[in-house]
Amino acid sequence: MSLYEPADGLLGTHVTWHDVEMEMQRVLGTNARFGANRQIRDIGDMKGFMSKIAMIQADWNFPSQEDFRNLPDRIAVKMSSELSLYDFSTLVSSEKWGVEKMKSMTSHVKELHNREVHMYKILGREQPDCPTVNVLALEEFTEYTPLKAYIISEYIPNLHDVAMSDNVPLEDIWAVVDGIAAFSAMGESMSDEEIKTATNGYGYIADAIEHFYGEHSPDNMRQNLIDVLGVAFEEKVDEAMDIFEMICGSPEIQNNYSKVSQYLGHSPVLMHSDIWPSNLLFSRSSQGHLEFEALIDFQTASMSSPGLDVACLMVTCLSKTDRRACKADLLDRYYASFVKSLKPHQPIPYTRKQLEDSYDLCFPAAIILMLPFILSFSLRLGDVIPENSIDKSAGLIEDLIAVHKSNLRKFPGFFGSC
């Protein structure tokens, strides 16, 4: 029995209908059952790689004396599992990971889940000005539950899916900027023990590269870039891949990414560390605008430099044109929202200039972490890749090269002898 082999529970996990039903009875104070016409749907396809996510629609069967109107008709169940990692592995390697690699990831997956459970408890206490899902139940991995752990929340209906290859319009991004800044400011209220139990600590970028790439950049990245951008872009692709190889192959640079805040002279702050469209839930208004409903998936929260979340947001959510045009305005908005979200007695841990320097240093790392997903989603669209997806990838390659050259001039000590 393992987390990486299919089981007979929900969506192939070890979590069963009985587990979820019993948990809902406990939390909701009811004797109601899900009913014979209960339904389940996988809503996590390519939206997360450490879990399976189900939407359960109940057909509540309840004692006559109970008021069924207080029972949610739909819930979301996030079950930690390695099953989705098989799909993820094809994004960073030409072959799926083997059993030994999957075994080595098991403890990591469990740690990430338990951290997210702790983070949701802190969110419930602090109530930052950042929308999140309404959590109903949390179950950690323990010695008594080594294979089943979950997070159950109310299901948010009428969500609008923003694909990794899509862009969020600039006028709709500001609520996200405010939300992730408020989440970061919440970290100033966390104790040392909470930082230890609810975050990945201070080495997220280095750890992510080590776990997913090893000492080499993704071995199918160059070909995927050529497939999306065409052979006319080959020279720039090669230049970009040299940057990938330099960072992925240098423990010294990766170690420096674990202490960007120290390098820039400010205190590390709480980062979500995994800002991309699948972790940002949107609905669409009657006027056609995207409305930010929730920030989710706190498994990889870390203590880092503030440019990381901003860089991931701009890499994954904005078009080339918007990203280049709004950098200063977006950094201004993020900084103002962060400062506003601090409690009265809390000092400001970094300056606006340090935020910008952090963004510049973290931008190449954000591309290394996110571009494989953007490319994979583009290639999944079929033979005719939309022009906006091609333009997005091309812009990231161009900006990676430009920002890296600028960083070598501005921060030569960060890259050592490279």
Side-chain angles (χ1 to χ4, degrees), residues 185-202:
M186 183 188 76
E188 301 305 292
S189 299
M190 291 168 58
S191 67
D192 290 343
E193 181 62 25
E194 287 174 331
I195 289 173
K196 180 179 178 180
T197 58
T199 79
N200 192 43
Y202 303 92

Side-chain angles (χ1 to χ4, degrees), residues 91-131:
L91 304 184
V92 297
S93 175
S94 57
E95 298 180 355
K96 290 189 175 183
W97 290 340
V99 171
E100 290 306 313
K101 177 67 173 180
M102 300 303 292
K103 284 182 178 179
S104 71
M105 293 295 292
T106 298
S107 62
H108 188 59
V109 170
K110 291 182 177 182
E111 288 173 6
L112 292 178
H113 172 84
N114 288 356
R115 287 174 191 152
E116 184 170 29
V117 167
H118 287 284
M119 185 59 72
Y120 269 117
K121 292 177 180 178
I122 297 168
L123 284 163
R125 181 192 74 209
E126 294 294 327
Q127 296 290 306
D129 193 15
C130 175

Side-chain angles (χ1 to χ4, degrees), residues 123 128-130 177-190 267-272 295 298 302-307 309-310 334 337-339 341-342 346 349-350 355:
L123 284 163
D129 193 15
C130 175
V177 174
D178 293 340
I180 63 176
F183 171 75
S184 179
M186 183 188 76
E188 301 305 292
S189 299
M190 291 168 58
S267 301
V269 291
L270 177 65
M271 289 283 97
H272 181 280
L295 176 66
F298 301 97
S302 67
M303 300 301 295
S304 188
S305 199
D309 276 359
V310 183
Y334 182 93
S337 295
F338 178 87
V339 172
S341 298
L342 293 172
Q346 292 173 335
Y350 56 85
L355 171 63

Side-chain angles (χ1 to χ4, degrees), residues 92-280:
V92 297
S93 175
S94 57
E95 298 180 355
K96 290 189 175 183
W97 290 340
V99 171
E100 290 306 313
K101 177 67 173 180
M102 300 303 292
K103 284 182 178 179
S104 71
M105 293 295 292
T106 298
S107 62
H108 188 59
V109 170
K110 291 182 177 182
E111 288 173 6
L112 292 178
H113 172 84
N114 288 356
R115 287 174 191 152
E116 184 170 29
V117 167
H118 287 284
M119 185 59 72
Y120 269 117
K121 292 177 180 178
I122 297 168
L123 284 163
R125 181 192 74 209
E126 294 294 327
Q127 296 290 306
D129 193 15
C130 175
T132 62
V133 296
N134 181 25
V135 172
L136 300 172
L138 300 164
E139 180 68 36
E140 294 183 61
F141 285 108
T142 69
E143 61 178 312
Y144 305 107
T145 57
L147 295 174
K148 57 175 70 179
Y150 48 79
I151 295 170
I152 303 176
S153 63
E154 289 187 359
Y155 178 75
I156 301 176
N158 304 318
L159 292 177
H160 177 79
D161 185 44
V162 178
M164 193 64 155
S165 53
D166 293 338
N167 300 309
V168 176
L170 187 57
E171 62 267 25
D172 298 334
I173 204 70
W174 302 111
V176 181
V177 174
D178 293 340
I180 63 176
F183 171 75
S184 179
M186 183 188 76
E188 301 305 292
S189 299
M190 291 168 58
S191 67
D192 290 343
E193 181 62 25
E194 287 174 331
I195 289 173
K196 180 179 178 180
T197 58
T199 79
N200 192 43
Y202 303 92
Y204 172 72
I205 295 176
D207 289 346
I209 292 174
E210 177 187 355
H211 278 294
F212 296 124
Y213 301 146
E215 296 180 355
H216 306 284
S217 60
D219 55 18
N220 55 353
M221 173 71 79
R222 184 184 186 279
Q223 187 57 55
N224 284 348
L225 282 167
I226 297 300
D227 290 343
V228 171
L229 302 178
V231 294
F233 224 77
E234 191 167 2
E235 185 175 338
K236 288 184 178 179
V237 168
D238 286 341
E239 192 171 355
M241 291 310 301
D242 286 342
I243 299 171
F244 268 70
E245 293 289 355
M246 184 192 79
I247 294 176
C248 292
S250 172
E252 178 185 358
I253 295 175
Q254 292 167 34
N255 183 56
N256 286 343
Y257 269 118
S258 298
K259 48 187 179 183
V260 174
S261 57
Q262 179 180 336
Y263 182 82
L264 296 177
H266 68 79
S267 301
V269 291
L270 177 65
M271 289 283 97
H272 181 280
S273 308
D274 196 20
I275 300 293
W276 62 306
S278 289
N279 290 335
L280 305 168

Side-chain angles (χ1 to χ4, degrees), residues 37-56:
N37 294 322
R38 67 195 183 188
Q39 297 180 35
I40 185 170
R41 179 162 59 91
D42 188 340
I43 58 173
D45 182 40
M46 294 300 285
K47 291 182 172 64
F49 304 100
M50 300 290 189
S51 60
K52 303 290 287 185
I53 307 173
M55 186 276 283
I56 289 179

